[in-house]
């Protein structure tokens, strides 16, 4: 092959010749973990063929941060600290970053436009080698920004929301169907769902799935209430649903997270209603909270720590060009406990 010489040769040229990303070249020449020996040697061979000298390599990679991964979350700090999901998710991410001697740069943002600007600043300032994106919306403004920058990312969301980005997701549609069918099989015909923020893509998917299954089963009543995932909002929604007159009151409620389900359990007790005799409750995102209540909460269970770890592994695959690309993780499965039973009367 004809070698390229002179200042025209860049890290991009080496990456193209080796068939990897620029991040993988950076990992190889900074002697960082995360690459197979075969890939590392292929990168070095491409650099030799292109005449990329070590001193040029050092100058090209000066200041690059392949040992830091970014994660911005658009949630209030107080609520984030109370929500078990993100604590478990970040724990899973960190378990993989530690294996790669990599650190997590975590920031809380007020909106997606602020996050898009932050990603631009992080990447252009060489503060990160890649980023994890969460909480996708329809027509998410981060997608075109990341595509333009060429920033290595993994999107936590359904492919219908994440454009061309590599994504990892849970099958929310199937899980919602399992939850509603389980309650219907117990005999419930009036079922409500206390959902998360309406603007979130996964909330919209769950909402559509709930409506579809309710129609399929011909439920006598099916209500959905959007919230902000907080315990306070979950309590308000539960109180509103359970203060309706008996024919218009649900006999079962599905919650989009465990915090709201625990709050709903407290509201039922406050109103003198028995769980599960008077109303059955089912939580999403099974956690220790669900097993500490009385009665214990039935839940849609999935390995959130493992989910975070898989997201981090996928990001390193994007950076090195050796990953499996977009793929789902196992669908949440129903774990019945003491908070669900056939309706009384």
């Amino acid at each position: 092959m004809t070698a390229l010489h002179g200042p025209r040769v860049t890290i991009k040229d080496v990456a193209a010749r080796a068939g990897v990303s620029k991040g993988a070249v950076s990992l190889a020449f900074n002697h960082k973990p995360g690459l197979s020996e075969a890939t590392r040697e292929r990168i070095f061979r491409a650099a030799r063929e292109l005449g990329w000298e070590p001193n040029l390599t050092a100058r090209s990679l000066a200041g690059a941060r392949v040992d830091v991964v970014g994660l911005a979350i658009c949630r209030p700090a107080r609520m984030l600290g109370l929500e078990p999901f993100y604590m478990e998710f970040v724990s899973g991410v960190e378990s993989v970053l530690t294996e790669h001697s990599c650190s997590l740069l975590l920031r809380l943002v007020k909106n997606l436009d602020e996050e898009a600007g932050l990603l631009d600043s992080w990447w252009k300032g060489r503060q990160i080698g890649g980023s994890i994106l969460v909480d996708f919306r329809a027509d998410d403004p981060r997608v075109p920004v990341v595509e333009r920058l060429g920033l290595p990312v993994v999107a936590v969301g359904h492919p219908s929301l994440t454009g061309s980005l590599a994504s990892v997701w849970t099958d929310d549609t199937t899980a919602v169907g399992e939850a509603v069918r389980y309650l219907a099989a117990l005999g419930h015909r009036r079922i409500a769902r206390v959902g998360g923020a309406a603007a979130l893509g996964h909330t919209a998917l769950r909402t559509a799935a709930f409506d579809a299954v309710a129609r399929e089963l011909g439920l006598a009543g099916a209500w959905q209430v959007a919230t902000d995932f907080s315990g306070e909002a979950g309590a308000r929604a539960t109180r509103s649903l359970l203060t309706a007159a008996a024919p218009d009151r649900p006999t079962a409620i599905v919650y989009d997270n465990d915090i709201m389900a625990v709050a709903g359990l407290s509201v039922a007790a406050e109103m003198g209603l028995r769980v599960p005799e008077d109303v059955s409750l089912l939580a999403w995102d099974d956690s220790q909270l669900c097993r500490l209540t009385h009665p214990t909460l039935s839940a849609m269970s999935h390995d959130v720590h493992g989910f975070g770890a898989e997201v981090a592994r996928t990001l390193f695959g994007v950076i090195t060009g050796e990953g499996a690309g977009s793929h789902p993780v196992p669908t949440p499965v129903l774990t019945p406990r003491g908070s669900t039973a056939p309706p009384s009367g």
Side-chain angles (χ1 to χ4, degrees), residues 1-10 13-14 17 46-53 56:
M1 296 182 185
T2 302
L4 298 178
H5 297 284
R8 292 184 301 108
V9 180
T10 67
D13 299 320
V14 176
R17 175 66 67 90
R48 289 194 299 269
E49 291 172 353
L50 294 172
W52 215 36
E53 300 295 335
L56 176 57

Side-chain angles (χ1 to χ4, degrees), residues 130-222:
S131 189
I132 296 168
L133 307 185
V134 298
D135 287 344
F136 274 78
R137 274 74 161 175
D139 300 318
D140 198 290
R142 295 170 294 179
V143 173
V145 170
V146 168
E147 291 173 337
R148 172 177 55 81
L149 290 171
L151 168 64
V153 303
V154 60
V156 181
H158 191 271
S160 64
L161 302 165
T162 59
S164 66
L165 309 181
S167 58
V168 179
W169 70 95
T170 56
D171 185 355
D172 288 351
T173 297
T174 298
V176 167
E178 182 180 1
V180 177
R181 288 190 178 89
Y182 162 69
L183 293 170
L186 289 177
H188 294 279
R189 306 300 298 165
R190 301 192 304 276
I191 303 174
R193 170 176 163 262
V194 177
L200 291 175
H202 70 268
T203 297
L205 291 172
R206 294 181 190 183
T207 299
F210 184 91
D211 283 339
V213 176
R215 286 194 302 270
E216 174 192 324
L217 298 176
L219 298 182

Side-chain angles (χ1 to χ4, degrees), residues 10-217:
T10 67
I11 188 174
K12 184 177 180 181
D13 299 320
V14 176
R17 175 66 67 90
V20 298
S21 68
K22 292 187 292 184
V25 178
S26 192
L27 284 174
F29 279 94
N30 279 295
H31 304 288
K32 295 290 185 180
L35 297 175
S36 68
E37 285 307 311
T39 299
R40 197 179 299 273
E41 178 52 37
R42 191 166 75 247
I43 292 169
F44 292 151
R45 185 170 60 251
R48 289 194 299 269
E49 291 172 353
L50 294 172
W52 215 36
E53 300 295 335
N55 59 339
L56 176 57
T57 298
R59 289 197 300 270
S60 297
L61 298 177
R65 298 300 303 271
V66 297
D67 57 343
V68 177
V69 165
L71 171 61
I73 301 177
C74 188
R75 300 282 180 94
R78 180 185 61 84
M79 191 168 73
L80 189 66
L82 294 173
E83 194 170 7
F85 174 87
Y86 269 118
M87 297 301 99
E88 281 289 299
F89 179 80
V90 170
S91 172
V93 169
E94 287 278 17
S95 70
V96 174
L97 298 189
T98 299
E99 296 173 3
H100 292 265
S101 301
C102 194
S103 299
L104 181 67
L105 179 56
L106 175 64
R107 285 280 295 275
L108 302 184
V109 295
K110 295 177 182 176
N111 53 57
L112 294 187
D113 288 333
E114 180 183 345
E115 182 178 346
L118 180 64
L119 291 170
D120 184 273
S121 174
W122 275 350
W123 184 239
K124 289 180 178 177
R126 297 186 175 186
Q127 294 178 263
I128 60 172
S131 189
I132 296 168
L133 307 185
V134 298
D135 287 344
F136 274 78
R137 274 74 161 175
D139 300 318
D140 198 290
R142 295 170 294 179
V143 173
V145 170
V146 168
E147 291 173 337
R148 172 177 55 81
L149 290 171
L151 168 64
V153 303
V154 60
V156 181
H158 191 271
S160 64
L161 302 165
T162 59
S164 66
L165 309 181
S167 58
V168 179
W169 70 95
T170 56
D171 185 355
D172 288 351
T173 297
T174 298
V176 167
E178 182 180 1
V180 177
R181 288 190 178 89
Y182 162 69
L183 293 170
L186 289 177
H188 294 279
R189 306 300 298 165
R190 301 192 304 276
I191 303 174
R193 170 176 163 262
V194 177
L200 291 175
H202 70 268
T203 297
L205 291 172
R206 294 181 190 183
T207 299
F210 184 91
D211 283 339
V213 176
R215 286 194 302 270
E216 174 192 324
L217 298 176

Side-chain angles (χ1 to χ4, degrees), residues 189-192 220-225 237-253 279:
R189 306 300 298 165
R190 301 192 304 276
I191 303 174
W223 302 265
Q224 299 197 70
V225 183
T238 304
R239 196 171 289 110
S240 174
L241 289 166
L242 295 181
T243 51
D248 298 317
R249 189 174 73 203
T251 61
I253 304 175
V279 60

